[in-house]
C-alpha cells in the first residue's frame, strides 16, 4: 500500500498479512484467530521465527523498513498504531560520513565537566560533537555550540522551577539529544543529575514508578525530567517521594526560563549520583565529584594513547557508567566525535554497530562481553559483505565477567574483516572508581591464563596448568591506571602473594567520596583508606586477573542487578510465598554474560496453575527491571534454605540449584503408606489403596534405579567425551525403563543404521519422552531441549555434560541463535533430535509444530526423519510425578526431504512430517492455537 495510510488502512494490511501467514502455519482456524486485539504469541501461535517472517512480509507490503521495536508488540492493533506513528518515510537517513578533522587541545585547565563543554563550545562551536541515532535509525548531529545553548536553556528552566544549587534532579530519559541537554543543564545550574533507567513499557508506568521510588527517596530528588508521556507518574510519585515537586520534560524547561549566563562550579562539587540498576529497599547511590570524573577521564586518555583523530561509536545506555563516563563524557572532554546509538538499535541487529565502525572509520568502542557474543552468534555472513574493521584501534571489553572463549571466537569470526587481535582491550572498573580502574597495554592481544582447576578451587592457588590438562581460564585486565593503587588481601587484611586469590581493594583520585546519604554503607567497604570492590582476583607477572566476586549482584548484559529487586516483585505474584524467594546469577557460557535465576516457593501443585504463575513471574520481573529472568523455578514449601533466624541463604540455594537437587520431591514415608493402607475401605479406600500401590511401585523403581543413575552420573562426570557420555545415557535409559516395567519396541530402526547425520522430529507427550528416545533411537544424537531442562535434578547435569543443545522459548534472540547452533551441529556430523511441538499438556493430541527444525532442513538440504512415540503419556502423565508400567513404542519413518529453501517449502515440509507422525503416534491431531484447544468444525 502507499505510504501515509490511515491507522484503519494499515491495520487491515497487517491483519491480512498476519492471517495469510497464520493460515500457512496453522490452517483456517489459526487465520480466524487473528483479530485486531489478538495476542500473536498466545492466541495465533506465532513464535520467534514466525514473527520475524511477519515483519519481513510487512516491510514488503509497505515498501520500506520497519522499526525493530515492532518485534516487541503483541497485537495487530499495536502494530498498526506503531506503523502509523512512524510515518511512511524510510527510517534510515542519509548521512555524509566525511572526515571531521582532528580534535583541538583544550587551551585551559577545566575544573568541571560542564566547564569542559563551555570551553569546547567557545573554541569550536560548529564542530560536531555527537551523532545521536535513535531506534528508527534517524540521526541528529549535535555540535558543541548547540549542546551548550540548549543546556543553558535547561539550566534557566530549572532555576525558574525553583531548583537550587545542590538539589538532586532525576533523569528518566532514553538515549536522545534531550538526555544530553538535560544532563549538562543540571550541571550548569549547580544541581546534581541522578540518571535512572527509562521504563520498558509506557503502559506500566505506574508500576515502574513505584519500583523507582526508593532511589528517588534516597536521593531526595527535587525534580524529574522525563519523556512527555511519563509526566503522568507525578501524582503517583509525590505520595512516596515527599521531596519531589514536579515531573517535567526538556522542551518545557527550555521554553520557560532565561538561559543561564555564568559559568561556575568547583572540582570538589558533586557531579552526579549513579544507582545500581533497579535497586529497591536500600539502594546505594555512588556519589562522584567533578574531580573524580576528570581524573578518571585523564587516566583513560593516557591508557588508550588517545589520538587527535580518534572517533568513537557507542550504543551503551547513558544511565550506565560505561556509557555515560567511558564513552560520552570521555569524548566531550577530549573533543573527539562520537556516534551514539540506541541500545535497541544494536540489540535488534548487532551488525549495525560494526557497519557504523566501517562507515565512520571509527577507532574507539566499548561493550560488555555479552555484546561480542551477540556479534559472533547473530550476525549472518551476508551482513558482513564488504565490511572493513581495520580502522578499529581500541575496543574495550568490560563491565561484566570476560570470557576467554568469547575473545578467541570474536577474533576468528572478524579477523578476516580487518579486526586485529591487539584491538581488543580487556579492562576492569566499577562505579565506585568512577568507571575505569585497570587497563592492559594498547595494541597487545588479550592475555589468557590457564590454571589448574583443583588447586584453584580447593585453596585459591592459580597454578599454571600443563598443556592438555583440564584447566580454568582467566583473562588479564592489565594493571591499575596511573595514580591508582590496587591490593589483594586475605580475610585477615594481609597482602596475598602472587598467584594467590585475594579480595581486590583500591584507592585513587577516581574513587568516590562515598555512597550518597549512607555513611554506614560507605564505612562497610572501607579498609585502611582503600575501598573493597567485593571482587576476587590474583596477580601474575604484575597483571590482575579477576577470578569472581563475593557480591550478590547479578551482572546481566552489563547491568548490575540487585537480587532484592527481583525477589520483591516475584513475591508479589499471587500464590508465591513471601519471604521464600531467591534470585541469583549463574554463568551463561553461550552468551558470555550471566543468567538470572529466580527460585520461589509455592503451595500450588496443579500444572496449569504453575505454568500461569511462572508466566506471571516472568512478566513481573521484566516490568520491574527491563529484563526477563532466564529461569523461573517454582519449588514446594521448605525447599529454599534459610538461616536459623529465617533469612534466605542465596549461595546455598544457588549451590543446590547447580547440583540439581533444589526442590526435589521427598520420598513417601512408611508411616504415610501405612495410614493409606488402613484407610482402604469403600471407594475412598480403593482409591487410597491404588495410591499406595503406585507409591510402592515408585519406591521400588527409585530403590532399584537409584544405584544405576548414581553410577551413570559418576561415569558421565569422569568421561571426557560427550559422545561417550551420550552412549552411557542411552544404555542407562534403557535399563531404567525396563526396571520400571516398560516394554520397549522400535519399528523402522533400520532407517537410522549407518549414514547420518540425521534431523529427527518427534512428538512430545510427557517428561518420559527424554528417556524413551534415549533408549529407543538406534543412533547417537543431541537433543534440542527447552532451557528449563537444565534445572531438572540429574537430567540437567546429563544434558550439559553430554553436549545437548538448549533454547529459551521465551527469548526470540535465543531461539534464532539456537537455529544457527543446530545448523552448525548438523554440519559437524552430529544428529539432532527436536520436539517441534516445543512443549506438551495434559490433554492428548498432536500440537502444532514450530518451524525451527524445518528451517534447518531447508538451509542444509537435509531430510527430516519423522518419529512417533506411543505410550509415554500413560507411563508418566503430565502433571504427575509417579510413573506407571506400560508399553512404549517408537515408529521411525522414511526421511522426508525439503522441496526447496524458501518459506513455503519449510511449511510444506512441516506439514508432511506432522502428518506422518500423526498417523503413528496414536493421538488425534489437534487444532490447538498456542493457548487453547479448538475442536474440529463439523
Amino acid at each position: 500500500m502507499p505510504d501515509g495510510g490511515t491507522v484503519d488502512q494499515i491495520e487491515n494490511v497487517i491483519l491480512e498479512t498476519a492471517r495469510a501467514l497464520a493460515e500457512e502455519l496453522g490452517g483456517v482456524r489459526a487465520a480466524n484467530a487473528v483479530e485486531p486485539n489478538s495476542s500473536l504469541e498466545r492466541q495465533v501461535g506465532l513464535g520467534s521465527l514466525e514473527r520475524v517472517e511477519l515483519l519481513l512480509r510487512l516491510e514488503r507490503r509497505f515498501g520500506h523498513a520497519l522499526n525493530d521495536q515492532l518485534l516487541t508488540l503483541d497485537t495487530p492493533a499495536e502494530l498498526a498504531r506503531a506503523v502509523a506513528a512512524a510515518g511512511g518515510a524510510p527510517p534510515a537517513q542519509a548521512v555524509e560520513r566525511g572526515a571531521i578533522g582532528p580534535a583541538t587541545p583544550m587551551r585551559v585547565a577545566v575544573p568541571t565537566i560542564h566547564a569542559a563543554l563551555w570551553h569546547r563550545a567557545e573554541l569550536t562551536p560548529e564542530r560536531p560533537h555527537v551523532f545521536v541515532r535513535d531506534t528508527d535509525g534517524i540521526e541528529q548531529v549535535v555540535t558543541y555550540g548547540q549542546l551548550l545553548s540548549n543546556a543553558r536553556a535547561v539550566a534557566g528552566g530549572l532555576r525558574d522551577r525553583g531548583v537550587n544549587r545542590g538539589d538532586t534532579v532525576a533523569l528518566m530519559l532514553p538515549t536522545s539529544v534531550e538526555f544530553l541537554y538535560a544532563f549538562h543543564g543540571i550541571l550548569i545550574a549547580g544541581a546534581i543529575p541522578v540518571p535512572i533507567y527509562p521504563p520498558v513499557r509506557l503502559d506500566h508506568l505506574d508500576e515502574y514508578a513505584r519500583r523507582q521510588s526508593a532511589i528517588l527517596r534516597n536521593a531526595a530528588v527535587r525534580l524529574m525530567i522525563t519523556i512527555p508521556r511519563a509526566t503522568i507518574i507525578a501524582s503517583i510519585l509525590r505520595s512516596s517521594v515527599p521531596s519531589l515537586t514536579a515531573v517535567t520534560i526538556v522542551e518545557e524547561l527550555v521554553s520557560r526560563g532565561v538561559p543561564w549566563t555564568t559559568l561556575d562550579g568547583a572540582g570538589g562539587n558533586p557531579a552526579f549520583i549513579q544507582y545500581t540498576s533497579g535497586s529497591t529497599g536500600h539502594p546505594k547511590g555512588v556519589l562522584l565529584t567533578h574531580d573524580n570524573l576528570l581524573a578518571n577521564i585523564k587516566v583513560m586518555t593516557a591508557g588508550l594513547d588517545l589520538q587527535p583523530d580518534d572517533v568513537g561509536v557507542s550504543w551503551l545506555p547513558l544511565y550506565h557508567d560505561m556509557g555515560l563516563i567511558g564513552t560520552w563524557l570521555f569524548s566531550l572532554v577530549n573533543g573527539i566525535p562520537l556516534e551514539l546509538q540506541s541500545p535497541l538499535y544494536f540489540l535488534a541487529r548487532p551488525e549495525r554497530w560494526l557497519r557504523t565502525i566501517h562507515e565512520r572509520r571509527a577507532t574507539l568502542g566499548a561493550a560488555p562481553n555479552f555484546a561480542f557474543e551477540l556479534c559472533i552468534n547473530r550476525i549472518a555472513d551476508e551482513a558482513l559483505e564488504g565490511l572493513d574493521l581495520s580502522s578499529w584501534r581500541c575496543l574495550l571489553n568490560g563491565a561484566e565477567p570476560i570470557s576467554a572463549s568469547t575473545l578467541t571466537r570474536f577474533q576468528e569470526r572478524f579477523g578476516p574483516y580487518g579486526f586485529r587481535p591487539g584491538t581488543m582491550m580487556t579492562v576492569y572498573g566499577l562505579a565506585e572508581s568512577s568507571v575505569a580502574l585497570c587497563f592492559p597495554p594498547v595494541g597487545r592481544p588479550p592475555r589468557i591464563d590457564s590454571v589448574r582447576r583443583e588447586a584453584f578451587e580447593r585453596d585459591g592457588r592459580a597454578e599454571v596448568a600443563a598443556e592438555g590438562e583440564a584447566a580454568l581460564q582467566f583473562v588479564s585486565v592489565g594493571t591499575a591506571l596511573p595514580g591508582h593503587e590496587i591490593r589483594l588481601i586475605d580475610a585477615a587484611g594481609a597482602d596475598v602473594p602472587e598467584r594467590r586469590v585475594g579480595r581486590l581493594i583500591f584507592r585513587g583520585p577516581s574513587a568516590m567520596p562515598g555512597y550518597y546519604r549512607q555513611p554506614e554503607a560507605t564505612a562497610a567497604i572501607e579498609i585502611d583508606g582503600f575501598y573493597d570492590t567485593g571482587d576476587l582476583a590474583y596477580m601474575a607477572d604484575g597483571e590482575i586477573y579477576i577470578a569472581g566476586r563475593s557480591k550478590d549482584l547479578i551482572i546481566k548484559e552489563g547491568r548490575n542487578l540487585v537480587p532484592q529487586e527481583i525477589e520483591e516483585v516475584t513475591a508479589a505474584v499471587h500464590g508465591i510465598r513471601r519471604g521464600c524467594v531467591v534470585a541469583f546469577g549463574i554463568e551463561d557460557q553461550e552468551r558470555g554474560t550471566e543468567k538470572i535465576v529466580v527460585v520461589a516457593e509455592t503451595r500450588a501443585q496443579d500444572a496449569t496453575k504453575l505454568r500461569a504463575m511462572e508466566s506471571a513471574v516472568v512478566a513481573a520481573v521484566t516490568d520491574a527491571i527491563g529484563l526477563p529472568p532466564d529461569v523461573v523455578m517454582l519449588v514446594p514449601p521448605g525447599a529454599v534454605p534459610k538461616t536459623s533466624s529465617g533469612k534466605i541463604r542465596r549461595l546455598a540455594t544457588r549451590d543446590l540449584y547447580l547440583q540439581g537437587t533444589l526442590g526435589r520431591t521427598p520420598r513417601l514415608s512408611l508411616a504415610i503408606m501405612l495410614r493409606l493402607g488402613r484407610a482402604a475401605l469403600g471407594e475412598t479406600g480403593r482409591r487410597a489403596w491404588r495410591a499406595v500401590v503406585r507409591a510402592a511401585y515408585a519406591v521400588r523403581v527409585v530403590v532399584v534405579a537409584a544405584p544405576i543413575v548414581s553410577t551413570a552420573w559418576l561415569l558421565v562426570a569422569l568421561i571426557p567425551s560427550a559422545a561417550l557420555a551420550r552412549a552411557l545415557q542411552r544404555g542407562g535409559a534403557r535399563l531404567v525403563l525396563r526396571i520400571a516395567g516398560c516394554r520397549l519396541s522400535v519399528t523402522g530402526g533400520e532407517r537410522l543404521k549407518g549414514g547420518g547425520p540425521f534431523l529427527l522430529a518427534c512428538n512430545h507427550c510427557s517428561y518420559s519422552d527424554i528417556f524413551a528416545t534415549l533408549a529407543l533411537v538406534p543412533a547417537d544424537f543431541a537433543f534440542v531441549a527447552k532451557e528449563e531442562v537444565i534445572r531438572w535434578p540429574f537430567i540437567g547435569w546429563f544434558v550439559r555434560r553430554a553436549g545437548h543443545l538448549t533454547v529459551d522459548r521465551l527469548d526470540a534472540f535465543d531461539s534464532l541463535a539456537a537455529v544457527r547452533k543446530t545448523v552448525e551441529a548438523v554440519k559437524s556430523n552430529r544428529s539432532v533430535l527436536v520436539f517441534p511441538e516445543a512443549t506438551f499438556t495434559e490433554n492428548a493430541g498432536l500440537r502444532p509444530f514450530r518451524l525451527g527444525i524445518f528451517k534447518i532442513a531447508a538451509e542444509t538440504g537435509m531430510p527430516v526423519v519423522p518419529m512417533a512415540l506411543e505410550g509415554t503419556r500413560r507411563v508418566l502423565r503430565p502433571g504427575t510425578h509417579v510413573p506407571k508400567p506400560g508399553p512404549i513404542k517408537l515408529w521411525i519413518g522414511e526421511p522426508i526431504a525439503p522441496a526447496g529453501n524458501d518459506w513455503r517449502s519449510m511449511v510444506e515440509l512441516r506439514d508432511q512430517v506432522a502428518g506422518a507422525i500423526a498417523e503413528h503416534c496414536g493421538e488425534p491431531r489437534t487444532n490447538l492455537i498456542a493457548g487453547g484447544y479448538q475442536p474440529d468444525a463439523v
Side-chain angles (χ1 to χ4, degrees):
M1 64 172 288
D3 292 335
T6 66
V7 174
D8 288 342
Q9 291 173 325
I10 293 171
E11 184 176 285
N12 288 335
V13 172
I14 292 173
L15 289 171
E16 178 185 336
T17 307
R19 283 169 182 154
L21 176 61
E23 186 169 0
E24 293 177 24
L25 295 169
V28 175
R29 291 169 184 79
N32 290 340
V34 179
E35 296 294 340
N37 293 308
S38 299
S39 167
L40 295 173
E41 174 72 24
R42 297 187 303 275
Q43 294 173 274
V44 183
L46 300 187
S48 56
L49 286 171
E50 294 86 345
R51 296 283 282 278
V52 171
E53 175 65 19
L54 175 61
L55 187 64
L56 293 174
R57 293 188 182 192
L58 290 175
E59 287 183 340
R60 290 195 291 269
R61 290 292 301 271
F62 292 124
H64 59 77
L66 296 175
N67 194 306
D68 303 316
Q69 289 184 314
L70 283 130
L71 287 171
T72 69
L73 302 180
D74 193 41
T75 70
E78 290 176 336
L79 288 171
R81 289 192 293 269
V83 172
Q93 176 179 312
V95 177
E96 180 63 38
R97 302 292 190 185
I100 296 172
T104 303
M106 192 83 72
R107 294 175 179 173
V108 296
V110 293
T112 65
I113 291 293
H114 54 283
L117 168 62
W118 204 289
H119 288 291
R120 284 281 171 204
E122 290 180 344
L123 189 65
T124 53
E126 300 303 319
R127 179 177 172 83
H129 164 44
V130 178
F131 301 86
V132 181
R133 187 182 292 274
D134 62 19
T135 55
D136 293 324
I138 298 174
E139 191 171 86
Q140 293 177 266
V141 181
V142 180
T143 66
Y144 288 101
Q146 289 171 332
L147 178 53
L148 178 61
S149 175
N150 283 280
R152 289 172 54 202
V154 169
L158 290 171
R159 177 173 52 189
D160 187 70
R161 277 282 195 171
V163 174
N164 298 311
R165 174 171 295 279
D167 286 344
T168 49
V169 179
L171 277 177
M172 192 180 76
L173 292 166
T175 299
S176 60
V177 294
E178 287 78 13
F179 186 102
L180 310 183
Y181 299 158
F183 186 88
H184 273 285
I186 297 168
L187 292 180
I188 289 171
I192 307 171
V194 182
I196 58 177
Y197 74 92
V200 179
R201 294 186 58 176
L202 293 177
D203 55 348
H204 289 174
L205 277 176
D206 55 344
E207 184 175 352
Y208 165 85
R210 294 187 185 98
R211 305 299 175 202
Q212 298 301 308
S213 61
I215 288 177
L216 302 177
R217 281 197 304 272
N218 177 255
V221 165
R222 177 73 181 274
L223 188 79
M224 173 182 283
I225 305 174
T226 185
I227 55 180
R229 287 183 60 187
T231 56
I232 61 174
I233 67 175
S235 59
I236 302 169
L237 290 172
R238 281 175 184 154
S239 61
S240 57
V241 186
S243 61
L244 185 65
T245 60
V247 176
T248 187
I249 61 175
V250 169
E251 184 179 0
E252 189 269 342
L253 291 172
V254 169
S255 65
R256 69 178 295 154
V258 177
W260 202 280
T261 57
T262 58
L263 171 63
D264 56 12
N269 294 153
F272 79 99
I273 305 170
Q274 175 172 289
Y275 282 85
T276 303
S277 303
S279 300
T280 59
H282 299 286
K284 291 188 295 185
V286 174
L287 174 65
L288 296 172
T289 67
H290 290 275
D291 283 339
N292 294 148
L293 295 181
L294 291 171
N296 205 242
I297 290 170
K298 180 179 179 180
V299 294
M300 282 194 290
T301 301
L304 291 173
D305 189 22
L306 192 73
Q307 303 299 310
D309 56 354
D310 274 328
V311 177
V313 174
S314 174
W315 51 265
L316 297 169
L318 293 176
Y319 56 80
H320 188 277
D321 54 7
M322 197 174 190
L324 178 61
I325 308 169
T327 58
W328 176 39
L329 298 182
F330 174 87
S331 300
L332 182 145
V333 171
N334 285 295
I336 64 172
L338 171 70
E339 168 131 347
L340 193 59
Q341 302 175 345
S342 158
L344 184 60
Y345 187 74
F346 161 75
L347 293 173
R349 297 177 185 177
E351 61 267 23
R352 290 167 170 167
W353 183 35
L354 306 186
R355 186 60 64 179
T356 305
I357 296 291
H358 165 95
E359 293 171 352
R360 288 228 177 264
R361 308 312 297 151
T363 58
L364 305 178
N369 192 82
F370 88 92
F372 304 108
E373 284 290 336
L374 284 182
C375 291
I376 295 167
N377 297 322
R378 286 195 48 227
I379 300 179
D381 290 341
E382 52 268 25
L384 300 177
E385 188 173 343
L387 184 69
D388 179 9
L389 299 177
S390 60
S391 66
W392 225 345
R393 191 174 65 82
C394 296
L395 173 57
L396 277 60
N397 182 339
E400 67 179 1
I402 301 167
S403 166
S405 171
T406 300
L407 305 180
T408 302
R409 289 182 292 113
F410 190 87
Q411 179 60 46
E412 290 174 351
R413 181 83 199 277
F414 298 103
Y417 300 95
F419 186 83
R420 298 179 299 275
T423 298
M424 182 75 76
M425 295 181 64
T426 51
V427 300
Y428 172 75
L430 65 162
E432 287 82 354
S433 181
S434 296
V435 59
L437 182 57
C438 295
F439 274 18
V442 171
R444 190 197 72 186
R447 182 173 289 178
I448 299 171
D449 191 33
S450 296
V451 303
R452 294 182 59 234
R453 179 183 297 273
E454 182 182 0
F456 185 88
E457 293 181 347
R458 186 181 64 246
D459 54 15
R461 288 181 291 110
E463 298 178 356
V464 178
E467 187 173 352
E469 180 181 4
L472 297 171
Q473 288 191 318
F474 297 101
V475 180
S476 168
V477 293
T479 58
L481 289 166
H484 295 70
E485 185 180 354
I486 280 178
R487 289 175 56 202
L488 300 177
I489 62 173
D490 59 20
D495 292 330
V496 299
E498 185 161 280
R499 288 198 169 272
R500 176 77 69 166
V501 173
R503 292 159 57 200
L504 193 157
I505 62 176
F506 79 99
R507 66 182 176 186
S510 302
M512 67 172 184
Y515 294 117
Y516 188 63
R517 299 176 65 194
Q518 291 194 51
E520 300 86 359
T522 305
I525 66 168
E526 289 181 327
I527 302 175
D528 298 329
F530 288 73
Y531 281 142
D532 187 351
T533 66
D535 291 320
L536 303 174
Y538 67 90
M539 184 175 291
D541 298 325
E543 298 197 13
I544 298 294
Y545 292 80
I546 304 300
R549 62 184 187 276
S550 56
K551 301 176 182 178
D552 283 334
L553 284 180
I554 302 168
I555 299 182
K556 172 78 170 180
E557 298 179 2
R559 288 179 56 186
N560 297 327
L561 304 170
V562 175
Q564 290 89 342
E565 162 81 26
I566 301 169
E567 290 160 1
E568 180 180 339
V569 297
T570 300
V573 172
H574 180 70
I576 299 295
R577 302 184 72 213
R578 188 169 289 277
C580 302
V581 181
V582 178
F584 52 85
I586 61 172
E587 183 182 7
D588 185 346
Q589 293 181 343
E590 293 181 354
R591 292 187 180 181
T593 184
E594 283 196 340
K595 292 183 179 180
I596 303 171
V597 179
V598 179
V599 177
E601 290 186 4
T602 177
R603 297 188 186 279
Q605 296 181 350
D606 179 74
T608 302
K609 289 182 180 179
L610 290 172
R611 286 194 295 270
M613 201 177 298
E614 182 176 336
S615 298
V617 170
V618 171
V621 174
T622 304
D623 288 340
I625 68 172
L627 291 170
D630 296 278
V631 177
V632 175
M633 185 175 186
L634 302 180
V635 295
V640 172
K642 296 182 179 180
T643 65
S644 57
S645 61
K647 296 179 181 178
I648 58 174
R649 298 170 57 199
R650 287 195 187 88
L651 290 179
T653 306
R654 182 178 182 272
D655 290 342
L656 291 174
Y657 172 83
L658 292 174
Q659 294 165 13
T661 58
L662 182 63
R664 183 175 298 169
T665 304
R667 298 175 182 174
L668 284 173
S669 68
L670 180 60
I672 293 176
M673 295 178 66
L674 290 175
R675 285 199 298 271
L676 288 174
R678 288 196 300 267
L681 298 172
E683 182 58 31
T684 302
R686 284 191 292 273
R687 287 198 299 269
W689 180 250
R690 286 195 294 269
V692 170
V693 172
R694 287 197 298 271
Y697 164 77
V699 170
R700 178 176 72 86
V701 171
V702 170
V703 169
V704 177
I708 298 172
V709 174
S710 300
T711 302
W713 188 91
L714 179 61
L715 291 175
V716 168
L718 296 175
I719 291 176
S721 167
L724 289 176
R726 291 193 295 273
L728 182 61
Q729 289 177 5
R730 293 195 298 274
R734 282 193 292 271
L735 189 55
V736 168
L737 288 176
R738 284 173 178 153
I739 290 171
C742 298
R743 300 185 300 279
L744 309 178
S745 63
V746 181
T747 302
E750 67 280 358
R751 291 166 179 149
L752 297 184
K753 292 181 179 177
F758 303 100
L759 282 176
L760 310 171
C762 188
N763 60 310
H764 202 11
C765 311
S766 162
Y767 288 122
S768 59
D769 294 346
I770 305 290
F771 286 96
T773 49
L774 282 172
L776 295 173
V777 175
D780 180 26
F781 67 89
F783 282 112
V784 178
K786 58 186 179 182
E787 186 76 22
E788 297 95 302
V789 171
I790 293 295
R791 70 173 185 256
W792 293 351
F794 283 108
I795 295 177
W797 166 263
F798 282 124
V799 168
R800 291 191 296 270
R801 194 68 183 85
H804 297 296
L805 308 175
T806 61
V807 55
D808 183 351
R809 297 171 298 156
L810 300 177
D811 187 335
F813 291 160
D814 192 63
S815 299
L816 295 172
V819 170
R820 185 165 298 280
K821 286 187 295 184
T822 308
V823 170
E824 292 171 356
V826 171
K827 288 181 177 178
S828 63
N829 208 37
R830 293 178 64 189
S831 294
V832 175
L833 188 149
V834 176
F835 296 116
E837 294 168 275
T839 188
F840 56 83
T841 65
E842 296 179 18
N843 298 320
L846 191 67
R847 297 165 59 88
F849 284 7
R850 296 298 177 97
L851 285 173
I853 188 173
F854 309 107
K855 176 178 175 61
I856 294 168
E859 287 188 5
T860 60
M862 290 185 61
V864 176
V865 179
M867 303 196 310
L869 274 173
E870 185 178 1
T872 54
R873 188 184 296 277
R874 182 181 180 280
V875 167
L876 187 62
R877 180 169 292 278
T880 65
H881 301 285
V882 180
K884 296 180 180 179
I888 298 178
K889 303 176 183 178
L890 177 67
W891 171 84
I892 302 174
E894 293 286 352
I896 302 175
N901 59 7
D902 59 352
W903 175 263
R904 187 165 296 279
S905 297
M906 282 189 277
V907 174
E908 289 177 356
L909 178 60
R910 179 207 63 179
D911 291 341
Q912 288 177 309
V913 171
I917 294 174
E919 291 180 9
H920 295 87
C921 69
E923 295 187 354
R925 189 172 181 180
T926 69
N927 293 290
L928 189 68
I929 299 177
Y933 177 82
Q934 298 182 359
D936 289 327
V938 176

